[in-house]
Amino acid sequence: MDAHSLASALRVEASALAVAADLAPPDRAVPACPGMTVGDLLVHVGSIHRMVTRWITRGARPAEWTCSPGDEDPVDWYRIGAASLIAVLDPARAGAPAATWCPWDRTLGFWLRRMAHETAVHRVDAQAAIGLAAPLEAGLAADGIDEVLRLWLGCHLPPAAHTSGQAVSLRVPGRTWTVALHSGIVDYCPHADPAAVVSGSPSAVDLWLWGRVGEEHLSVDGDVALVRSLRAAVAGATG
């Protein structure tokens, strides 16, 4: 996705998260995040937004990132942090240098993409807590799949990941990714013959990678154990 589309997605997803959270009691459980309440979710996402804003403006990762709304209304507190982040992430400056945690992308565009996806997945969490989870927009979800496979696995492949070297293809309408896990290496191998194929809507595949929906939302052909090992590696990479 281009920078302006990501900026638009971030604004839409941040607003939708706030609306959903405002409709839920703070102690309402978040279904896909055991032990997390809607109040916890607001603190988590609000803290990330504030941390990234400081990271960008100060040019270095903050030592501390967990914040608290204190006596403020949690939803208002969240909205203020999201607005500050959006103001810093000017899509017209996406190519500008910025401190990041990605070795190959040290631009403001890295954070624009990362925050759009972070906020979108947690918007789904907030809506799921009130039983109204809407799918991710198709273009954003497809970009999210690419981000998970290339950024998260590329930077944080767990040392204990199952690494058979067999390829898995993930397919959505109009796009396919094929990856194989080796010891310490992710092989992006578009011409490999996959041992397993996962297919579905972009939203379903992206949310499955993030552990928000199960295999029942997908079509899985071939080695199911290999597919589950890929999902486990993603879980380890994304924390």
Side-chain angles (χ1 to χ4, degrees):
M1 293 182 75
D2 64 80
H4 288 277
S5 295
L6 287 166
S8 177
L10 175 57
R11 289 191 298 270
V12 169
E13 297 290 349
S15 177
L17 192 161
V19 169
D22 210 19
L23 293 172
D27 60 354
R28 177 73 57 82
V30 176
C33 304
M36 179 177 277
T37 65
V38 170
D40 296 332
L41 179 68
L42 285 170
V43 171
H44 175 71
V45 184
S47 294
I48 289 173
H49 286 174
R50 285 165 169 79
M51 176 192 69
V52 171
T53 299
R54 292 197 300 271
W55 198 332
I56 292 166
T57 56
R58 297 178 184 180
R61 181 179 184 136
E64 298 290 335
W65 70 271
T66 302
C67 307
S68 170
D71 294 330
E72 292 182 64
D73 177 81
V75 177
D76 289 344
W77 176 84
Y78 161 81
R79 284 192 170 109
I80 290 167
S84 297
L85 176 68
I86 289 166
V88 166
L89 291 175
D90 179 0
R93 299 182 58 249
T100 75
W101 53 261
C102 176
W104 59 82
D105 191 350
R106 305 286 190 180
T107 69
L108 197 66
F110 167 85
W111 287 120
L112 189 52
R113 186 189 200 200
R114 179 80 287 283
M115 288 300 95
H117 293 303
E118 182 78 17
T119 306
V121 170
H122 287 309
R123 181 272 295 168
V124 172
D125 289 334
Q127 290 182 338
I130 58 173
L132 296 171
L136 299 169
E137 187 276 325
L140 181 66
D143 189 70
I145 296 165
D146 190 80
E147 192 209 38
V148 168
L149 298 178
R150 297 185 184 278
L151 175 65
W152 287 98
L153 285 183
C155 285
H156 299 303
L157 180 66
H162 177 68
T163 54
S164 69
Q166 292 179 291
V168 178
S169 286
L170 281 68
R171 295 177 181 168
V172 303
R175 198 161 179 189
T176 299
W177 299 260
T178 302
V179 298
L181 304 184
H182 303 268
S183 181
I185 297 172
V186 183
D187 182 12
Y188 303 99
C189 43
H191 304 297
D193 185 20
V197 176
V198 176
S199 55
S201 70
S203 179
V205 174
D206 192 22
L207 292 175
W208 169 74
L209 286 170
W210 279 103
R212 266 52 182 189
V213 303
E215 290 174 15
E216 68 274 12
H217 293 268
L218 307 167
S219 174
V220 179
D221 298 308
D223 190 336
V224 175
L226 183 62
V227 168
R228 291 173 180 169
S229 71
L230 174 63
R231 166 69 194 106
V234 169
T238 58

